[in-house]
């Protein structure tokens, strides 16, 4: 595989999509989050979201299957590392890039993205509905998604590809002089603006040999439905994977939660916002097990079974306050899953995008997450560079002390889309 054929930067989701529009004024600390809206959603909005769920359920399932497949690759490569990815952002970004491919290159991406069973004629429209539905999930939760195409002014893209990106993915399209040293700063300024300045750079350099960058950004800011009492937060030991311990601020509260327990783990859901449609799912392996063993069992089918098994239970939850940043080049992981031709100048078919011979040079993914007593703030960016080539008992209360490595996921329960997922080895 010729890595010199395609230039790219990897952002927080997977390949092209940078989601998340937020103004710098909305980039305030999680400690001072203002609700996005004070009015309850109208009955029409609720009905629209219910209809959208029906229309996009198959797409959301495909995105989640792909996300778990990718997670398996990454967690096996970095078993002892903190990991945070945005599978929704990655899947959407790749889907937008897929529209520029044709032939066996397109078939390869379709299969890896688990899109084979979807109707090609309505697929992009379903993505558009899914994006809009996620952005309007809860007036008290900020979930912003943004996409952009940054095109070398000397390059001509096909109208059908550009119009598709604009219409269904709401992508901004900008022509730049890639020979200008300031082009990189222009792109990165957009990234910072659309992630509330939590991710300030995704593109390291821009060259006249680059054809375009496809970028997706996602920004999430949610207040817990029930905030943690700051006065209840105390320093307690957190035991890392190496069985060492470190002092960590631990937040605690009691209440009624969606909960599930097996002989391998405990799982709890902590809801966000007024409507509680979005929530953080925390999976804590039992002391007789490990996070590595849990990750071996983590796949789409098991996930669905575990989520459906959760029941309302009274209990006490203790979780660490934490803040993580993560960066990864996804090229190897995507290649292992079967997306190979886009990286190979001798095979990549981007004829639906341009008449030029181009290929992907890399995929860069960056994420950020902070969890505290108020709620959660998270951001992810994915950048793809395209370069020109020459070619239990339910009534019993529970206790769950998350004082050792754990897995988490932030999920929209209406569309069932997983927005972020991660391993916390050392908060």
């Amino acid at each position: 595989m010729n890595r010199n054929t395609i230039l790219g930067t990897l952002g927080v989701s997977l390949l092209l999509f940078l989601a998340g529009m937020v103004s710098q004024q909305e980039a305030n600390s999680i400690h001072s989050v203002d609700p996005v809206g004070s009015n309850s959603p109208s009955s029409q909005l609720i009905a629209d979201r219910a209809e959208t769920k029906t229309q996009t359920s198959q797409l959301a399932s495909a995105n989640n299957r792909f996300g778990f497949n990718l997670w398996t690759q990454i967690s096996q490569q970095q078993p002892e590392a903190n990991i945070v990815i945005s599978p929704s952002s990655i899947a959407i970004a790749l889907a937008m890039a897929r529209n520029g491919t044709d032939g066996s290159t397109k078939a390869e991406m379709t299969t890896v993205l688990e899109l084979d069973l979807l109707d090609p004629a309505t697929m992009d429209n379903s993505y558009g509905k899914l994006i809009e539905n996620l952005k309007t999930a809860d007036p008290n939760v900020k979930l912003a998604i943004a996409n952009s195409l940054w095109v070398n002014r000397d390059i001509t893209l096909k109208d059908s590809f550009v119009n598709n990106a604009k219409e269904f993915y709401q992508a901004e399209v900008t022509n730049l002089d890639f020979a200008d040293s300031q082009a990189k700063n222009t792109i990165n300024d957009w990234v910072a603006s659309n992630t509330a300045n939590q991710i300030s750079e995704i593109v390291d350099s821009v060259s006249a040999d680059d054809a375009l960058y496809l970028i997706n950004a996602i920004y999430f800011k949610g207040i817990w439905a029930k905030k943690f009492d700051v006065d209840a937060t105390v320093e307690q030991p957190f035991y890392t994977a190496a069985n060492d311990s470190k002092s960590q601020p631990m937040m605690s509260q009691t209440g009624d939660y969606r909960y599930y327990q097996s002989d391998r783990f405990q799982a709890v859901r902590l809801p966000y916002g007024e409507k509680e449609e979005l929530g953080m799912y925390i999976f804590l392996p039992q002391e007789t097990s490990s996070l590595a063993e849990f990750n071996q069992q983590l796949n789409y089918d098991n996930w669905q079974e575990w989520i459906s098994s959760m029941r309302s239970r009274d209990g006490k939850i203790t979780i660490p306050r934490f803040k993580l940043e993560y960066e990864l080049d996804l090229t190897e992981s995507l290649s292992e899953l079967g997306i190979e031709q886009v990286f190979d100048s001798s095979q990549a078919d981007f004829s639906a995008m341009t008449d030029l011979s181009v290929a992907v040079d890399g995929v860069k993914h960056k994420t950020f997450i902070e969890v505290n007593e108020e709620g959660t703030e998270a951001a992810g960016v994915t950048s793809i560079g395209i370069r020109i080539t020459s070619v239990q008992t339910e009534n019993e209360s529970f206790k769950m002390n998350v004082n050792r490595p754990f897995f988490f996921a932030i999920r929209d329960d209406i569309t069932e889309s997983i927005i972020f997922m991660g391993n916390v080895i050392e908060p």
Side-chain angles (χ1 to χ4, degrees):
M1 184 180 302
N2 187 346
R3 300 298 181 188
N4 293 324
T5 61
I6 156 180
L7 156 56
T9 324
L10 229 91
V12 79
S13 285
L14 229 135
L15 224 137
L16 332 134
F17 229 16
L18 188 40
M21 309 163 126
V22 200
S23 69
Q24 184 170 354
Q25 289 78 4
E26 294 169 319
N28 295 330
S29 164
I30 189 70
H31 297 283
S32 60
V33 176
D34 291 322
V36 175
S38 58
N39 298 324
S40 298
S42 66
S43 58
Q44 183 60 50
L45 177 59
I46 295 174
D48 290 345
R49 278 177 61 75
E51 179 183 0
T52 300
K53 178 181 179 181
T54 301
Q55 295 174 336
T56 61
S57 59
Q58 192 175 18
L59 175 60
S61 294
N63 289 345
N64 288 343
R65 286 186 183 277
F66 163 72
F68 281 117
N69 292 340
L70 180 66
W71 175 261
T72 297
Q73 291 292 329
I74 296 173
S75 61
Q76 288 177 350
Q77 294 169 7
Q78 301 180 326
E80 302 298 328
N82 291 327
I83 302 171
V84 185
I85 67 170
S86 175
S88 286
S89 173
I90 292 170
I92 295 173
L94 284 172
M96 190 168 66
R98 170 187 167 277
N99 285 330
T101 63
D102 205 353
S104 58
T105 301
K106 187 171 188 177
E108 190 177 82
M109 294 189 70
T110 300
T111 297
V112 173
L113 290 173
E114 301 281 347
L115 299 175
D116 288 303
L117 298 180
L118 275 68
D119 182 359
T122 61
M123 189 181 303
D124 289 316
N125 185 56
S126 294
Y127 269 110
K129 288 181 177 296
L130 179 61
I131 293 170
E132 190 59 33
N133 202 50
L134 289 172
K135 290 163 63 175
T136 58
D138 190 311
N140 294 95
V141 173
K142 180 68 178 182
L143 179 53
I145 299 174
N147 299 292
S148 62
L149 301 180
W150 303 89
V151 188
N152 187 329
R153 68 178 185 183
D154 296 327
I155 301 300
T156 300
L157 300 183
K158 294 189 175 180
D159 290 341
S160 57
F161 172 76
V162 174
N163 292 337
N164 185 296
K166 288 181 177 180
E167 178 180 359
F168 298 110
Y169 299 90
Q170 302 171 28
E172 301 177 35
V173 180
T174 304
N175 292 313
L176 287 180
D177 179 4
F178 279 14
D180 186 346
S181 61
Q182 294 302 310
K184 176 190 72 171
N185 296 334
T186 300
I187 298 173
N188 287 328
D189 286 346
W190 183 92
V191 170
S193 175
N194 284 280
T195 59
N197 291 312
Q198 296 300 341
I199 298 175
S200 60
E201 180 178 297
I202 194 67
V203 175
D204 298 323
S205 62
V206 173
S207 162
D209 292 330
D210 300 335
L212 75 153
Y213 284 88
L214 301 92
I215 300 182
N216 162 263
I218 184 165
Y219 177 79
F220 173 87
K221 198 168 191 176
I223 301 300
W224 300 121
K226 178 183 178 182
K227 297 179 184 179
F228 287 81
D229 183 355
V230 176
D231 293 334
T233 298
V234 296
E235 294 285 334
Q236 294 181 7
F238 184 95
Y239 300 91
T240 66
N243 289 323
D244 296 326
S245 66
K246 58 175 291 187
S247 181
Q248 187 72 21
M250 301 292 285
M251 312 181 297
S252 296
Q253 65 175 222
T254 58
D256 189 66
Y257 309 92
R258 298 277 293 174
Y259 178 80
Y260 173 64
Q261 180 174 338
S262 72
D263 59 352
R264 291 170 295 173
F265 60 81
Q266 292 175 277
V268 70
R269 178 183 186 269
L270 302 179
Y272 297 102
E274 176 183 329
K275 295 167 62 180
E276 302 189 7
E277 291 181 356
L278 291 103
M280 174 178 283
Y281 291 79
I282 297 176
F283 288 77
L284 176 68
Q286 301 285 11
E287 292 184 358
T288 55
S289 185
S290 69
L291 187 57
E293 290 174 320
F294 172 80
N295 280 314
Q296 292 174 2
Q297 302 296 317
L298 183 58
N299 56 49
Y300 176 77
D301 292 332
N302 283 341
W303 167 266
Q304 291 291 91
E305 179 182 346
W306 297 336
I307 296 301
S308 64
S309 297
M310 300 184 85
R311 299 291 184 270
S312 180
R313 291 272 296 277
D314 181 70
K316 178 179 180 179
I317 175 72
T318 301
I319 64 173
R321 191 165 63 197
F322 66 91
K323 181 177 179 180
L324 303 175
E325 296 181 7
Y326 183 72
E327 180 176 353
L328 179 69
D329 186 318
L330 293 173
T331 304
E332 180 180 351
S333 297
L334 293 174
S335 296
E336 290 293 331
L337 288 177
I339 296 181
E340 298 181 317
Q341 290 190 15
V342 295
F343 300 109
D344 189 336
S345 59
S346 66
Q347 299 186 69
D349 183 351
F350 279 93
S351 57
M353 177 188 294
T354 177
D355 289 330
L356 296 172
S357 177
V358 299
V360 176
D361 189 43
V363 180
K364 189 172 184 179
H365 183 67
K366 284 188 176 182
T367 53
F368 162 90
I369 186 168
E370 180 177 6
V371 175
N372 58 30
E373 289 85 354
E374 293 281 335
T376 302
E377 184 176 22
V381 175
T382 301
S383 171
I384 297 179
I386 308 295
R387 171 169 287 189
I388 304 170
T389 65
S390 54
V391 216
Q392 42 327 75
T393 302
E394 298 185 3
N395 292 330
E396 181 182 352
S397 65
F398 69 89
K399 289 185 178 180
M400 184 171 170
N401 187 4
V402 187
N403 64 350
R404 53 190 181 276
F406 63 94
F407 171 84
F408 73 87
I410 296 176
R411 176 183 187 252
D412 174 66
D413 287 342
I414 296 299
T415 65
E416 300 184 357
S417 296
I418 300 172
I419 305 166
F420 289 92
M421 61 170 63
N423 278 349
V424 178
I425 303 294
E426 183 175 344

